[in-house]
Each structure stands twice: as structure tokens, then as C-alpha cells.
Amino acid sequence: MADAVIANWSGHDFQARFFWIKASALMDPDKHYVIEVTYEADGPKSFDDVVVKYDPGRQSATGTPISVDYHQIKFHMDGAGRFGYEDLTKPEFLGAKAFSLLRRLQNAKKEAPRNSAFTLVTIDSIKDGDPLDEIVSAIDGSFRFDRLFDGTTDRSRMGKVRQCWRDHLNLTNDEELKTVLSGLRISAGFITLEKLRDEVNLHFRVVGLLPCHESAGFKYDAEARALKLQNRNRFDRASFEALCREQKWIDERLVKKYRSVSVRSFPVMPIHELEAAPEDTLSLLHLFDERHLQAGGDWQSGVQPAVEQFLAEVAKRYTAVRLHLDAHASIAFLAGSYLGLKSGIALELVQKGRSDHSIWIADDGKCGPDPKVETVIVGEGKDAALIVSLSRDAFEDVRDYVAKKLPGVGRLIHLTPKDGPGQRSIAGGEHAAMLADAAENAVRKARLPIDARTHIFVSGPNAFTFFLGQHRQAMGSCALYEFDFSRRVDGSYHPSFWME
């Protein structure tokens, strides 16, 4: 019984923290299109845990404006749960007795406004090998109709999925099924309860609200429950600011001056989809298939000009930028190169990942130990390879790649943290900037010939790579590389940009 009570509390806390993240947008003038956020709304049933309304509608990955986001939040005490396409037809998947997720979606669409989105947020994961894994888009969790409705018969792999869902919903054809599924999104394998707390603190800090770092508990969990009991669970911009002032949650020391700017080249969790206004967001998702370039794509002629043109406009408009880099390491380096040390722009970097989400600034006082730098001679070539092993040890992978692909490299310059690579090897922004300084200094000390090139391989957070990019001119001609983590090609490195 005690375990069940704890699980119930944790589920409510998970939902509350998701709500606070969405509600924080009501305090952000950059997100003026977020007009209302509700915690445990009155409907539609099963998609009423957190409801967000927009005016004008926010842009979706398909380009169709979305007027309302309805969220169904499904939490468990562990992440061992797995589900497949058949589970969407089973009431027990939602802990219900009568109606399945698909049936509730069908009913919800009857009362929801047009252009609404319905998102299942769960820490469960899709079963390996289940057709559902091939249908759900990695960009926004929507269904890929091109794969589900692939023109095959009901006896095919996808045909069995369509028939299962049509029969369950009492539909006569695939067009009716498309109508029901349109707008459904699945966000599976969601982040943990503890990391969701970090997300709330990050979002609150960005909009000038006080974070909670108390070890004994997270006060905003209880605040959400209290608001529901008081029937104060629906907020527009004015009422949410009034609540924050009433509760003294506004940090009067913070004067908001930083403009949120986002560059994306790979999909992000839906929790971050509103971090910057559309006019301050560069999406490169159409150029990539997940983390790999689309067939026929080119880093140099396709990606680089788009990034540079966007950043040029940013530099004209703003003098203080809070930069979100949900992007490849090469793009983080390029952004740092373009927004260099002499750009005159005040910068904050939102660092996300397995480590706690936080804002990194080059002078935030979060210092750490000096790195270890080792130089290994591998040939007589005049070029050098700079290997940065902050998150993982990349040395052997790079040495193998250099031996096979880069005969002009004569030495390997390897930088590692004092205590070895790891997800928490960097203390914060000032430490990351210092490590970038050390990497640039190691390249300068190598005294490469004027016509030599530095080949850069980074395993580390994008904030570090951005700071390293700010030193690009001091390092001379550079070439950047991306690692094939998913092993979709060869599990090795591939060139991206070169900068003269």
C-alpha cells in the first residue's frame, strides 16, 4: 500500500512539473502566442492533464498551426514499461476499464477545436521491433502517414496495424482512420522525475522566477495541488503573473534582457518546443533524417549558409542572446565562430543533456581543474587532429579514422578532463570556456605550418564546442567531423564543415 501511495504522489508531481514548464511561457514576452495553460482541465477526457492554448497557433513540424495542445501524462515508478501498437486499443494500457487511448482520442476530437494536438507523454518506451516504432516521428512524435498508409494490403506488416485500429474504432476505411489519428503524438521514454525538476528550475530562471533547490522537497509540487483544490488551475498571462507576484516567486533581481534564440538540426523533446519565438528559431530538420544528412544533402553548401544567414540577422537584432543549440557539434562550433569573442553580443548558453539542464556563461564563476593535454606523433603529415574527450574517450576512434582517411595528419592533440571523461566532467560555463581556451592554446603551441589544417573531433557538450568555435580564427584552417553514434552508416566519423 505504501508503495502505491508513493507512486500516486510521484505521478501527480510529474504532471505538476510538466505544467509548471508549460506555464512558465506565460511570463515570457518572447512566447506571446501562449495565451492559456490549464492544470487538470475539465476535458476532453484522458487528454486533460495539461492543456496549452495559442493565439496565433504555434507552428508544427508539418507547418500546420496548432491552436491547442492536449496532454495525457502516464507515469510509472520505473522506466521498464514497454508498449506496442496493440496496446493503444487496450483500456488497461491507461489503467482504465472501458476506453482505450484510441477510443478516447476519437471521442476527444469531437469536442476539441480544429488544429488541436493530442500528446501521450510517458516514461514507457515503445517495444523493440514493434511497427509503432517505425510510425512515430522522431521530430515531434506524430504519426508518419507515409509509412502507416504505405499502399500495402491488410496482410502486410503495416496493413495489420491499420486493420487492428480500424476494427477497434469501428471504421470502414483508411481515410476515416487518418482523420482519427491526425494530431496524435506520442512522446515515449520521457525524462525522469528528477530531471523534470531541473527543467522547471531552468524555465523559471529564464523568465525571472525563483527556482527551488531545497533538498527536502520541491515546493512547486504541492503548490500545483493546492491550486487545483482552490479551483485556480487555469491561467492566462495576467492571472499567472498575479499568482507569481502574490506568492513572491518573481526574482526582482533579474531584469529580463536576453532574447531566446534556437538552432535545431535534430529532434528535441516536446518540452522544449516553445523555447524561442518562431522568428527566432532556425529549424534545419528538413535537411536531416534524424542526425544524418538527407540523401544528396551537403554541409558546406546547404547547412552552413543557412546557419550563417540566421545568425547574421540575430546579430543585427539583439545585443543579448540566450542560445539554445539542439544541434550537431559542428553547428555549435560554427555558431561560436560566427558569434566570436569580438561580436559584442552578450551570450547565455542553455546546456541540456544527461547532466542537469542549466544556463552556462563564460564568466559564471563555475570553475574546474585544468585539463590534461597529450600529443602523439602518428606520421610526417603537416596537419593535426584535435581530439577533445570530455563526455567519452574518443581517442581510439579518431586514431583509427585518421589512419584510414587522413594521411596528411602527423600528430594527434588529445585533451581530456583531469579526472577523465564523463557526463559531469565540466563544472559549468566558466570551466567550459577555460577548457576551450586550453584546446586553442594546445593547437597554437603545435606551431603548425601556415598551410596546415586542424581537424577537430569533439565529444562534449555543445556549450563547450560553441566556446571552442569562438577561437576558430586563432586556430587557422579547421575541419569539423561528426560521429555516427547510431551506427546507421559505419559507426565512424564523417566530415562536415571546413573553415579557411
Side-chain angles (χ1 to χ4, degrees):
M1 176 65 73
D3 289 343
V5 171
I6 293 173
N8 187 49
W9 287 348
S10 297
H12 283 295
D13 293 346
F14 193 92
Q15 180 178 325
R17 294 176 193 186
F18 191 91
F19 161 75
W20 289 122
I21 290 168
K22 296 300 184 182
S24 68
L26 295 170
M27 291 289 289
D28 192 340
D30 293 349
K31 302 170 187 175
H32 53 85
Y33 46 89
V34 182
I35 61 170
E36 185 180 281
V37 182
T38 305
Y39 175 71
E40 293 192 355
D42 295 330
K45 185 70 173 176
S46 282
F47 288 96
D48 54 1
D49 289 338
V50 176
V51 178
V52 186
K53 294 184 178 181
Y54 314 97
D55 185 17
R58 72 168 179 86
Q59 292 298 309
S60 66
T62 61
T64 302
I66 292 175
S67 59
V68 188
D69 270 319
Y70 296 96
H71 299 91
Q72 160 73 34
I73 298 174
K74 187 171 180 285
F75 178 80
H76 296 299
M77 288 299 290
D78 60 60
R82 298 292 183 270
F83 66 97
Y85 77 93
E86 291 179 308
D87 292 292
L88 304 190
T89 68
K90 299 175 180 179
E92 55 267 29
F93 173 62
L94 296 179
K97 295 182 179 180
F99 294 100
S100 67
L101 178 78
L102 289 182
R103 181 70 74 180
R104 293 189 174 189
L105 172 68
Q106 186 180 41
N107 292 333
K109 299 194 76 171
K110 296 176 182 178
E111 58 180 284
R114 292 186 58 188
N115 297 329
S116 295
F118 304 84
T119 302
L120 170 67
V121 179
T122 176
I123 66 170
D124 294 343
S125 299
I126 298 174
K127 294 177 182 176
D128 292 339
D130 192 274
L132 188 62
D133 196 31
E134 303 171 29
I135 297 170
V136 176
S137 168
I139 295 176
D140 64 352
S142 63
F143 281 13
R144 296 193 57 174
F145 284 177
D146 59 326
R147 292 186 177 180
L148 177 58
F149 301 97
D150 58 0
T152 57
T153 68
D154 287 348
R155 300 170 65 180
S156 68
R157 178 175 172 81
M158 290 300 168
K160 292 177 181 178
V161 178
R162 298 192 302 268
Q163 183 175 26
C164 173
W165 289 350
R166 287 198 316 267
D167 291 348
H168 175 68
L169 296 172
N170 298 319
L171 303 176
T172 59
N173 57 62
D174 284 348
E175 287 303 314
E176 291 179 344
L177 182 60
K178 282 183 183 180
T179 300
V180 174
L181 297 179
S182 178
L184 177 62
R185 286 156 172 71
I186 295 179
S187 179
F190 207 69
I191 60 178
T192 65
L193 184 61
E194 185 62 24
K195 290 195 179 299
L196 207 56
R197 169 180 173 149
D198 298 330
E199 287 285 350
V200 175
N201 283 336
L202 172 64
H203 281 69
F204 272 30
R205 191 258 186 229
V206 164
V207 299
L209 298 179
L210 291 168
C212 175
H213 297 294
E214 299 171 6
S215 58
F218 191 59
K219 67 178 183 180
Y220 293 112
D221 295 338
E223 294 289 353
R225 290 192 291 270
L227 289 171
K228 177 61 178 176
L229 291 174
Q230 299 167 20
N231 289 321
R232 299 178 68 190
N233 58 323
R234 177 177 298 171
F235 296 93
D236 59 16
R237 302 184 78 84
S239 60
F240 188 72
E241 181 176 353
L243 170 71
C244 294
R245 293 193 179 280
E246 169 193 316
Q247 299 296 326
K248 295 181 171 55
W249 293 343
I250 295 178
D251 190 342
E252 301 294 352
R253 299 168 301 172
L254 295 178
V255 179
K256 181 174 173 56
K257 63 176 181 178
Y258 285 86
R259 182 78 175 191
S260 288
V261 172
S262 176
V263 179
R264 301 175 185 164
S265 61
F266 52 71
V268 295
M269 299 293 275
I271 197 169
H272 294 302
E273 67 193 357
L274 301 176
E275 62 197 8
E279 63 269 23
D280 294 322
T281 299
L282 173 64
S283 174
L284 301 167
L285 297 179
H286 62 288
L287 300 177
F288 292 88
D289 181 4
E290 296 185 1
R291 297 204 176 199
H292 291 266
L293 273 178
Q294 294 277 8
D298 183 73
W299 286 93
Q300 204 72 23
S301 62
V303 179
Q304 184 170 351
V307 175
E308 291 182 342
Q309 181 179 352
F310 174 74
L311 294 178
E313 292 300 318
V314 167
K316 291 178 183 177
R317 293 199 299 265
Y318 311 124
T319 58
V321 168
R322 179 178 295 117
L323 188 59
H324 303 252
L325 288 169
D326 294 298
H328 296 72
S330 298
I331 294 175
F333 185 94
L334 176 62
S337 174
Y338 202 88
L339 301 176
L341 297 172
K342 298 181 180 180
S343 67
I345 296 177
L347 285 161
E348 292 183 343
L349 298 170
V350 179
Q351 180 55 49
K352 307 165 189 172
R354 288 177 59 189
S355 300
D356 295 346
H357 296 359
S358 55
I359 291 176
W360 287 13
I361 308 172
D363 58 354
D364 59 12
K366 296 179 180 179
C367 304
D370 292 339
K372 296 183 292 185
V373 179
E374 179 185 12
T375 299
V376 178
I377 303 301
V378 294
E380 298 181 356
K382 59 187 177 182
D383 289 359
L386 172 62
I387 309 168
V388 180
S389 296
L390 299 178
S391 300
R392 67 176 184 88
D393 191 337
F395 184 80
E396 294 299 332
D397 286 328
V398 175
R399 182 161 66 175
D400 289 346
Y401 179 81
V402 167
K404 295 174 183 177
K405 301 288 187 179
L406 298 175
V409 171
R411 72 187 82 181
L412 309 178
I413 303 171
H414 190 205
L415 183 145
T416 59
K418 178 184 177 182
D419 297 324
Q423 294 298 324
R424 295 182 179 270
S425 63
I426 303 182
E430 187 163 329
H431 190 202
M434 181 270 286
L435 292 172
D437 294 346
E440 180 264 335
N441 188 51
V443 172
R444 283 195 297 107
K445 280 187 175 181
R447 300 181 66 85
L448 302 180
I450 193 69
D451 58 342
R453 176 174 288 179
T454 302
H455 302 263
I456 299 175
F457 303 82
V458 176
S459 173
N462 273 350
F464 161 82
T465 311
F466 177 91
F467 290 137
L468 182 62
Q470 290 188 313
H471 292 289
R472 201 277 303 168
Q473 290 189 344
M475 291 188 291
S477 178
C478 299
L480 280 295
Y481 296 82
E482 292 290 334
F483 189 68
D484 178 24
F485 283 105
S486 61
R487 304 186 69 86
R488 286 182 53 185
V489 181
D490 55 12
S492 184
Y493 286 93
H494 296 269
S496 55
F497 304 125
W498 66 88
M499 304 178 195
E500 302 297 339

Short mmCIF file of all heavy atoms in Angstrom, two decimals, residues 185 210 254:
data_model
loop_
_atom_site.label_atom_id
_atom_site.label_comp_id
_atom_site.label_asym_id
_atom_site.label_seq_id
_atom_site.Cartn_x
_atom_site.Cartn_y
_atom_site.Cartn_z
N ARG A 185 0.13 12.51 -31.00
CA ARG A 185 1.57 12.47 -30.84
C ARG A 185 1.91 11.58 -29.65
O ARG A 185 1.18 11.56 -28.66
CB ARG A 185 2.14 13.88 -30.62
CG ARG A 185 2.17 14.70 -31.90
CD ARG A 185 2.17 16.18 -31.61
NE ARG A 185 2.38 16.97 -32.80
CZ ARG A 185 1.52 17.14 -33.79
NH1 ARG A 185 0.35 16.53 -33.71
NH2 ARG A 185 1.80 17.88 -34.84
N LEU A 210 11.74 32.39 -9.31
CA LEU A 210 12.68 31.78 -8.37
C LEU A 210 12.68 30.26 -8.51
O LEU A 210 11.62 29.62 -8.37
CB LEU A 210 12.31 32.17 -6.94
CG LEU A 210 12.51 33.64 -6.57
CD1 LEU A 210 11.83 33.92 -5.23
CD2 LEU A 210 13.99 33.98 -6.51
N LEU A 254 16.38 39.92 -11.20
CA LEU A 254 16.61 39.59 -12.60
C LEU A 254 15.81 40.51 -13.50
O LEU A 254 14.59 40.59 -13.41
CB LEU A 254 16.21 38.13 -12.88
CG LEU A 254 17.04 37.07 -12.16
CD1 LEU A 254 16.49 35.69 -12.48
CD2 LEU A 254 18.50 37.16 -12.56
#
